[in-house]
Amino acid sequence: MNDVVAAVDVGGTTMKGGFVARDGTIHGFERRPTPRAEGPDRVIAAVSGFVADLTRPRAGVRPLAVGLAVPGLVTARHAVFSAAFGWRDVPAASFFGDVELPAALGHDVRSAGEAELAYGEGGRGVQDVLYLPIGTGIAGAVVLSGALYGGAGGWAGQVGHIPVWPDGVACGCGQRGCLGAYASGRAVAERYGVERAEEVVRLAAQGDVRARAVWGEAVEALALALATYTLVADPALIVLGGGVALAGDALVVPLRERLAGRLAFRAAPEVRVSRLGAMAGLMGAGLLGWRALSGVQGSG
C-alpha cells in the first residue's frame, strides 16, 4: 500500500491518524488521547510522536507525505495561536521532527471543509456553504463562490465565538456568552455534569428535565449564531459535522425550526449533517499531505 499519505487530525479530546488514499479512503485508522490537561509542550510531543509513528517504515505501508491538521490560527509554518492548547507561534518543525517526507501543516476545520468540498455535500454544485464541525469546540469553514475563505488575517469562520448572549457564561477565549460556551460538545457535557455530550442527548430523549434544558439551550444558541451568519454571508447550505452532529435528528430537526424562526423576512438555508462524519478532519489532513507531495513534485 504505497499510494497513500500519512495524516493526523488533532482534536481537543482525541487525535485521529491513519493513511489516506487520493480518493479519501482511510487505511490503518488509529485514535489516541490528546493530553491537553498536561500542558502545551506535552501535546506537541504527543502530536510529534504520532506523526513519527505513522511515517516510520513498516511492512506493506510506505506513505509518500504527511499532512497534519491542528486547531487555532495556523499558517504553513506556524501554529500561531490555539486557545484550546495554549499554543503561541509553535514552528511546524516542532510537530514533524526528523520526518524526511514532504509535510504540510493546516487548520483542522478548514482542512475538514476542504474534505467536505472534495468528497462530501459541499462539493455537489453548491457554491456558498458553511461547514460547521461541533466537537470539543466549534469553528467553521467558510466557502464563498466555491472557494474556501480565510479572511484578512486567517480568522474567518470563528463561529464558536459569536456572542449569542453577551452577558452570558465565560468562554476560554476571554469573552462571555460565546456560542461554544453553550453548544460545543465540551460545554454541553460540563453544563450537565457528565463526560460526553452524547449522554446529555440520550437523557434528554428520555425526558430528563435538566438534560432537555441544557440541550435546548445549546440548540437555541446554535440557531442564534447561524441566523447571524446567514444574514451576513447568505449561505445556500449549512453542513454540520463533528461528534455532536452525530445526534442526528435530535439536533437537526429543532435547529431547522429555530433557525427559521430567527429569520422572519427570509427563508433559512438548508441544514444537513455531513456524510463524512467525524472523519472529515482526517480526510482533510490527507489532502494536506497530497498537496505537500504535489508541491514537491511541481518544483522538481
Side-chain angles (χ1 to χ4, degrees):
M1 185 170 58
N2 294 331
D3 197 20
V4 295
V5 296
V8 176
D9 172 31
V10 181
T13 304
T14 61
M15 301 182 290
K16 303 180 184 73
F19 305 103
V20 182
R22 288 187 183 274
D23 65 357
T25 302
I26 298 169
H27 303 276
F29 174 74
E30 184 179 348
R31 190 190 303 266
R32 297 185 184 183
T34 304
R36 184 178 58 187
E38 300 175 31
D41 290 342
R42 181 68 188 91
V43 175
I44 293 168
V47 173
S48 177
F50 203 175
V51 169
D53 288 347
L54 288 172
T55 56
R56 190 172 292 122
R58 65 184 72 188
V61 181
R62 298 181 63 188
L64 301 172
V66 56
L68 171 64
V70 300
L73 181 61
V74 181
T75 69
R77 297 188 178 186
H78 288 84
V80 178
F81 173 76
S82 173
F85 300 136
W87 289 344
R88 286 189 180 274
D89 293 318
V90 180
S94 298
F95 301 111
F96 297 119
D98 297 327
V99 171
E100 296 182 355
L101 291 174
L105 175 69
H107 184 264
D108 60 342
V109 174
R110 202 160 297 142
S111 297
E114 289 199 81
E116 188 65 38
L117 282 174
Y119 310 118
E121 302 289 350
R124 297 183 177 182
V126 183
Q127 294 291 298
D128 297 281
V129 183
L130 173 66
Y131 173 68
L132 191 72
I134 309 171
T136 303
I138 302 175
V142 178
V143 180
L144 300 176
S145 300
L148 281 163
Y149 175 72
W155 288 99
Q158 295 298 320
V159 178
H161 297 293
I162 291 176
V164 290
W165 287 293
D167 296 321
V169 300
C171 178
C173 73
Q175 299 179 162
R176 302 191 72 87
C178 292
L179 170 64
Y182 293 90
S184 69
R186 179 171 59 190
V188 169
E190 288 180 351
R191 287 170 70 77
Y192 186 86
V194 292
E195 290 190 4
R196 301 182 67 84
E198 296 95 303
E199 183 70 4
V200 180
V201 176
R202 184 183 66 80
L203 290 169
Q206 293 175 353
D208 183 290
V209 174
R210 193 158 65 89
R212 292 181 69 175
V214 169
W215 184 243
E217 193 168 42
V219 174
E220 180 65 13
L222 276 166
L224 285 165
L226 292 177
T228 298
Y229 181 89
T230 296
L231 292 168
V232 172
D234 190 26
L237 174 65
I238 296 171
V239 180
L240 305 177
V244 174
L246 298 177
D249 285 350
L251 172 62
V252 174
V253 172
L255 178 58
R256 286 171 177 159
E257 179 180 348
R258 295 191 190 197
L259 177 58
R262 292 285 175 180
L263 297 168
F265 63 87
R266 56 152 294 165
E270 184 177 359
V271 179
R272 301 181 197 164
V273 173
S274 171
R275 63 188 184 91
L276 303 185
M279 293 296 104
L282 186 57
M283 295 167 75
L287 287 173
L288 287 170
W290 285 113
R291 187 176 303 123
L293 181 65
S294 297
V296 170
Q297 291 174 338
S299 63

